[in-house]
Amino acid sequence: MHSVSTALATEEDANAIDEEQIHQLVTKLSDTLLYGDGDSTTAWQLFARIPPQAHAYISSEAYGDMLAAISAGQVNDAVKRCQTILNAMRAAGLQPDIHHYELAVVACRRAKNADQAYLFKLQAAQCGIPLSRKLFKEVIGAFGIAGDPKRVLQLMREMTDARLPHDKDIYLSLTEAYAMSGRPGKAENVVGSMEALGLEPDERIFAVIMGQHAKLRNAFAVRRVYDAMMSRGLQPSVVSYTTLIDAYYRAGEIAAARKAAMEMHLSGLQPDVVFYGAAIAGEARLGYFEEADRLLDEMNEAGITPNDSIADAYIYGHAVHSSPETVARAIERMNAHGFQPTAYTLSSLLHACAKARKLETALMLLKTWKSPSKPLSAHYTLLIKLCGEHHGSRETLAIYRDYCAAGFSPTTYMFNILLDVALKARDSNMADVVLAAMVESGVQPDTGTYTTIMRHSKDRDLQRRYIEELLARRLPSSIKSCQLLLTACARNGDAELAATLFRSMQSHGFEPDVQSWTTLIHACGKAGRLSQMEGYLKDMRSAGYEPNVYTYTCLLQAYLSNNDIPTANHVLERFEASGLKATAHIHSQRMKLVRDDPHALTRCLQSMRTDKVAVDNHLVHQLFCRIGATMSPATAIALLDDLKRGGVDPDLACYTAVLRICARTGTWADVQSILDRLVGQGVKPDAATYRWVFSAYLKSHALSRQPVHQLRHAGILPPLTPELFKELFEALAPSRNVDALVDTWSEACLAGFRHAREVVSAYCFALAQCGSDGQQILGAVVNENRDVLRKLKLRGKLKAIFQALQ
């Protein structure tokens, strides 16, 4: 196939072609495009033989037909060929019209080249050509496939400015953009936006959302979207059913997947090769080979030939669950269907051998594998990785030596895997060998090298040792690598090593940027070296860098951690005078500064709304903790609603904080509404949450002698655990009802928690608050549980009572 750089005729070729030959070529090209005699490659070859000075003989319609053939043909070099044709038109004095640009953009979308599609759109606009809705639709579709919702929204605004309406295809592309970028929640919001504008979403949009949830293994979300589609009267297609089934298989819900497959068969839809691929892959991955074999036979009866993806998934499933011999039989079965072993087949065999601890068999396969695809460096890499998971570091090093003996040159990725295996096994000798081999082979470490080291050496001393060793070997090779090491030092509060690393970075010729200076300042602040931190701040300004919002955040954290409130206030004033936009972290530090002033904390929240800072769970929970004692239940509930409207789902900590507020100053109805919200959102309450539910219920209802039975009858008692009894005793303590406490203790003993530390201590603490009536029972409980109580850190009144009873 001709490429753009070689296919065009040279000047010497042009001189060798006379006018009659040119006329014949142009005529043949026109006939080829008009009657379809040949594919886009044939048309391109004919065009390439026509010299540039003869391009004027080609009509605008012929150029358009050629663009149409290229955009509908093979993807390879299609974009470059479209650009060449447009350039040839301009050189020949023909101005491309909107139809030509539309065809060029179609080629870009098929080639997944969104940036070039946008450039074609800009070229059309610069030529003064009115942009059509089809052109916008194709460019938007390209960015949708690329997973770039920001560019899609920008183009949609441009369409609005050009008074071009949006249709379902535009919103489908926006949905794809959000889904491809890993934000299925945003993709679901597109459905609501469409309905608000009077557009009814079709089945394709729901299928895209379901597909992304399936990739994330969220079968619950896939079913929810599927049900939403059905509730709108949309009938699922084979694509929708395939996505639903794939999600269930990925989540391990085999029964639900088979039920969905049965629903599809009953609906009259015929399975295609993609459906069979998802089902066979799912059954094989989960080890249900009889069902996978049945589906293969069903495919054959339907006249559908398994493709390479199905064969590879079938073989890989056997590799995960079976022996190498069984995998070999699976390969033979797929060979009977015309399948040729691929590199993926060898990977499956290696996986099975490594799992079965048959390393010799795996190495023999690598050396004797005869197939159209020879063993690659990636196969040795895979075997080393698997060996590290299932075997020891010694065996892994042996495979690495075989890898080198096979003539492969080690790469940074290979060394990173070896280093990962060594650090997982805490084999410092192997780590030293790997680092030495890395230096000897001249392979430079990359970001992954440093990430691997930082991930495994969580021990501060061990991490420091590796950083010092890397510095001694002069391995840092980029400012990004140095930044990773600096971040590790800051995380550990190791100001001394951070300063050494910073100087080393400068000696390597890397100029520190704002991020590097800020990380160094953070390390000093976390270590409590405030004067050193201030010195680096001055040096940073001298180097021409002004503090950014992250620098101010580190300064505030440092001063607040050392209880230097006046200086922290001064830093906050400097930040506000700088004109920088406050982030959630800045607002969090500001809330710590005014933690004793409820009105000031409320003003902080208002300031966040003014600055359009997202109110997340951490900040709201912090706010509840700061002013919970002075906040009314109505205010707390309103704050939860604000959080929900802001696109953030409150977590369990937020709900527990609101329940605490409602239990103290609100009504039982307030607590019930919050509990219903929590359960409705799918958040599972814990024992600490139920403490405030118990407290509110017992406060608003007459307390019986048997609180456990009373709460169970009210329907608010979850399965009993030691933690739950602890919280129940703490909720009962303020009532000072000895009979209720004794009955609850009896229930705890019947449940088998007589000697549970948290239950015994909570019971004793509650009895200690009941005056003389509780003292007598407390003495018996303490004598019975002396060994348990000795192991607890008793405080306050209970500690004094225990000491008196010794």
Side-chain angles (χ1 to χ4, degrees):
M1 183 179 295
H2 292 274
S3 67
V4 175
S5 59
T6 60
L8 289 177
T10 63
E11 190 175 351
E12 294 180 0
D13 295 330
N15 295 331
I17 301 177
D18 57 25
E19 290 189 11
E20 185 178 351
Q21 289 176 311
I22 291 173
H23 178 72
Q24 290 176 354
L25 287 172
V26 172
T27 302
K28 189 173 182 180
L29 174 62
S30 300
D31 291 342
T32 299
L33 295 170
L34 180 61
Y35 300 110
D37 297 334
D39 55 15
S40 61
T41 303
T42 304
W44 177 255
Q45 290 171 347
L46 289 169
F47 174 74
R49 292 175 60 189
I50 300 173
Q53 61 268 30
H55 287 169
Y57 293 111
I58 304 175
S59 66
S60 179
E61 291 77 9
Y63 277 115
D65 291 340
M66 195 159 17
L67 284 169
I70 291 172
S71 63
Q74 296 182 6
V75 175
N76 294 340
D77 293 330
V79 176
K80 290 182 180 179
R81 292 178 178 181
C82 288
Q83 181 67 68
T84 301
I85 290 173
L86 292 174
N87 291 340
M89 287 184 70
R90 297 189 196 97
L94 295 173
Q95 179 61 44
D97 59 21
I98 190 63
H99 177 63
H100 296 111
Y101 282 108
E102 287 172 353
L103 292 170
V105 169
V106 169
C108 293
R109 180 179 58 77
R110 293 187 67 235
K112 299 181 181 180
N113 191 338
D115 291 333
Q116 185 60 49
Y118 190 74
L119 288 177
F120 281 140
K121 175 246 176 195
L122 289 179
Q123 289 176 15
Q126 288 168 359
C127 294
I129 302 173
L131 303 182
S132 65
R133 188 168 73 168
K134 182 178 179 181
L135 183 76
F136 271 111
K137 187 185 297 186
E138 295 295 340
V139 178
I140 288 173
F143 280 109
I145 296 171
D148 192 342
K150 185 176 179 180
R151 297 295 289 274
V152 171
L153 291 170
Q154 174 194 334
L155 289 163
M156 290 176 69
R157 287 191 292 269
E158 291 181 20
M159 283 188 71
T160 303
D161 294 339
R163 298 186 178 180
L164 296 172
H166 303 154
D167 59 10
K168 292 182 181 180
D169 290 335
I170 298 294
Y171 283 101
L172 174 63
S173 296
L174 180 59
T175 306
E176 285 179 334
Y178 279 125
M180 295 297 289
S181 62
R183 290 182 280 179
K186 286 282 189 180
E188 290 185 49
N189 293 339
V190 174
V191 174
S193 301
M194 289 181 66
E195 292 175 333
L197 294 170
L199 292 173
E200 295 183 2
D202 57 19
E203 186 264 347
R204 296 176 301 163
I205 290 180
F206 287 100
V208 168
I209 300 171
M210 290 165 61
Q212 182 58 33
H213 280 305
K215 289 179 182 177
L216 299 174
R217 301 177 183 270
N218 191 342
F220 174 79
V222 173
R223 186 73 205 193
R224 173 169 50 76
V225 176
Y226 175 83
D227 291 340
M229 179 182 72
M230 297 291 287
S231 68
R232 288 168 171 80
L234 297 173
Q235 293 302 315
S237 65
V238 177
V239 175
S240 299
Y241 274 117
T242 302
T243 306
L244 180 64
I245 289 166
D246 184 50
Y248 281 134
Y249 278 124
R250 289 176 185 271
E253 299 181 19
I254 190 76
R258 291 174 179 173
K259 182 180 178 182
M262 183 60 67
E263 288 177 8
M264 192 189 88
H265 284 294
L266 293 175
S267 69
L269 294 172
Q270 294 299 318
D272 58 8
V273 67
V274 180
F275 171 85
Y276 279 116
I280 291 172
E283 297 285 348
R285 277 198 306 263
L286 297 173
Y288 294 94
F289 301 117
E290 291 183 3
E291 182 63 17
D293 291 338
R294 187 192 69 76
L295 288 167
L296 274 173
D297 294 336
E298 186 179 302
M299 275 188 77
N300 290 329
E301 292 173 3
I304 301 174
T305 304
N307 56 25
D308 287 352
S309 298
I310 294 176
D312 286 334
Y314 180 78
I315 293 168
Y316 180 77
H318 281 80
V320 172
H321 296 281
S322 308
S323 65
E325 293 76 17
T326 308
V327 178
R329 287 195 293 272
I331 293 174
E332 290 176 2
R333 166 152 194 181
M334 297 314 300
N335 286 341
H337 293 284
F339 169 72
Q340 291 295 322
T342 63
Y344 194 89
T345 310
L346 178 56
S347 298
S348 297
L349 281 167
L350 294 176
H351 194 288
C353 291
K355 187 172 180 291
R357 296 183 176 274
K358 296 184 177 181
L359 289 182
E360 292 182 1
T361 305
L363 289 171
M364 185 63 66
L365 272 170
L366 280 174
K367 294 174 182 177
T368 60
W369 180 258
K370 293 180 180 179
S371 172
S373 55
K374 295 180 180 179
L376 306 172
S377 171
H379 289 116
Y380 279 97
T381 305
L382 172 66
L383 188 57
I384 286 174
K385 199 171 183 180
L386 291 170
C387 186
E389 293 174 2
H390 299 288
H391 304 276
S393 53
R394 184 181 302 175
E395 292 86 349
T396 307
L397 273 178
I399 297 174
Y400 167 70
R401 294 189 184 99
D402 287 335
Y403 166 85
C404 295
F408 293 109
S409 299
T411 62
T412 305
Y413 182 63
M414 170 66 78
F415 281 120
N416 289 349
I417 292 176
L418 290 168
L419 197 58
D420 185 61
V421 171
L423 293 174
K424 271 184 181 176
R426 305 188 72 83
D427 189 340
S428 57
N429 292 330
M430 178 179 173
D432 292 338
V433 169
V434 172
L435 287 172
M438 198 172 187
V439 174
E440 183 180 351
S441 62
V443 175
Q444 290 295 323
D446 61 2
T447 304
T449 311
Y450 298 103
T451 304
T452 301
I453 294 171
M454 296 305 105
R455 183 173 65 248
H456 289 293
S457 29
K458 293 181 180 179
D459 184 338
R460 178 174 172 173
D461 295 333
L462 187 62
Q463 193 171 80
R464 182 186 177 98
R465 173 195 156 193
Y466 277 116
I467 293 176
E468 289 174 344
E469 185 171 346
L470 287 167
L471 289 172
R473 295 177 183 273
R474 300 183 63 81
L475 280 178
S477 59
S478 68
I479 191 167
K480 190 171 183 180
S481 302
C482 295
Q483 183 60 46
L484 281 168
L485 297 174
L486 266 177
T487 302
C489 295
R491 192 187 306 118
N492 294 332
D494 196 335
E496 183 181 348
L497 185 57
T500 303
L501 180 60
F502 193 81
R503 290 191 294 270
S504 174
M505 182 174 72
Q506 291 174 314
S507 68
H508 277 77
F510 302 126
E511 182 180 350
D513 56 8
V514 176
Q515 184 182 2
S516 304
W517 283 106
T518 299
T519 309
L520 179 62
I521 288 170
H522 181 45
C524 295
K526 197 164 184 181
R529 300 186 179 186
L530 301 185
S531 58
Q532 190 176 0
M533 178 184 73
E534 291 164 355
Y536 285 127
L537 182 62
K538 291 178 181 177
D539 293 341
M540 174 182 168
R541 284 199 168 101
S542 301
Y545 295 105
E546 286 298 319
N548 60 17
V549 64
Y550 302 106
T551 314
Y552 279 110
T553 303
C554 294
L555 293 170
L556 284 170
Q557 286 176 343
Y559 288 120
L560 285 170
S561 298
N562 289 274
N563 205 27
D564 190 346
I565 305 301
T567 309
N569 275 314
H570 179 62
V571 170
L572 188 59
E573 290 171 2
R574 279 160 45 196
F575 168 77
E576 291 170 346
S578 68
L580 294 170
K581 184 178 178 181
T583 63
H585 292 292
I586 289 289
H587 284 289
S588 177
Q589 303 306 317
R590 182 182 284 150
M591 288 167 65
K592 292 177 183 177
L593 278 170
V594 294
R595 56 179 173 266
D596 297 325
D597 187 345
H599 298 293
L601 284 167
T602 305
R603 286 196 298 273
C604 284
L605 186 61
Q606 293 171 348
S607 176
M608 289 177 64
R609 293 190 181 119
T610 303
D611 293 340
K612 296 182 179 180
V613 174
V615 182
D616 60 8
N617 282 314
H618 173 74
L619 284 170
V620 173
H621 183 248
Q622 186 176 340
L623 187 63
F624 285 143
C625 293
R626 301 285 185 234
I627 60 175
T630 59
M631 184 185 291
S632 67
T635 304
I637 293 171
L639 199 55
L640 273 184
D641 292 336
D642 283 349
L643 189 67
K644 190 76 174 177
R645 281 193 293 270
V648 180
D649 291 329
D651 60 7
L652 181 60
C654 288
Y655 277 115
T656 303
V658 177
L659 280 171
R660 182 174 66 246
I661 294 169
C662 294
R664 286 174 173 171
T665 59
T667 63
W668 171 242
D670 294 331
V671 173
Q672 270 189 316
S673 68
I674 298 299
L675 189 61
D676 291 341
R677 283 194 194 192
L678 185 149
V679 175
Q681 189 179 312
V683 180
K684 186 178 180 181
D686 61 4
T689 307
Y690 275 107
R691 173 189 177 182
W692 302 108
V693 177
F694 298 155
S695 178
Y697 183 83
L698 297 173
K699 179 182 174 183
S700 59
H701 295 74
L703 181 62
S704 70
R705 276 202 57 176
Q706 297 180 322
V708 172
H709 293 290
Q710 185 180 3
L711 294 170
R712 186 180 286 120
H713 181 72
I716 58 172
L717 190 69
L720 297 174
T721 62
E723 293 79 11
L724 200 70
F725 273 110
K726 170 182 175 295
E727 300 298 346
L728 182 54
F729 279 124
E730 292 186 4
L732 286 168
S735 69
R736 300 185 179 182
N737 188 321
V738 176
D739 292 336
L741 290 171
V742 171
D743 286 340
T744 305
W745 171 251
S746 300
E747 291 285 346
C749 294
L750 288 173
F753 306 134
R754 175 185 291 275
H755 300 297
R757 296 184 186 182
E758 57 268 45
V759 177
V760 174
S761 62
Y763 180 42
C764 291
F765 183 78
L767 288 172
Q769 299 181 57
C770 294
S772 57
D773 291 338
Q775 294 289 333
Q776 297 177 356
I777 302 173
L778 179 61
V781 175
V782 168
N783 286 326
E784 183 183 352
N785 296 277
R786 282 183 181 277
D787 293 338
V788 175
L789 292 172
R790 280 197 186 98
K791 298 176 182 178
L792 298 174
K793 294 182 179 179
L794 303 179
R795 292 176 293 180
K797 187 176 181 180
L798 184 58
K799 181 178 181 180
I801 292 172
F802 181 68
Q803 289 174 345
L805 291 171
Q806 289 282 25

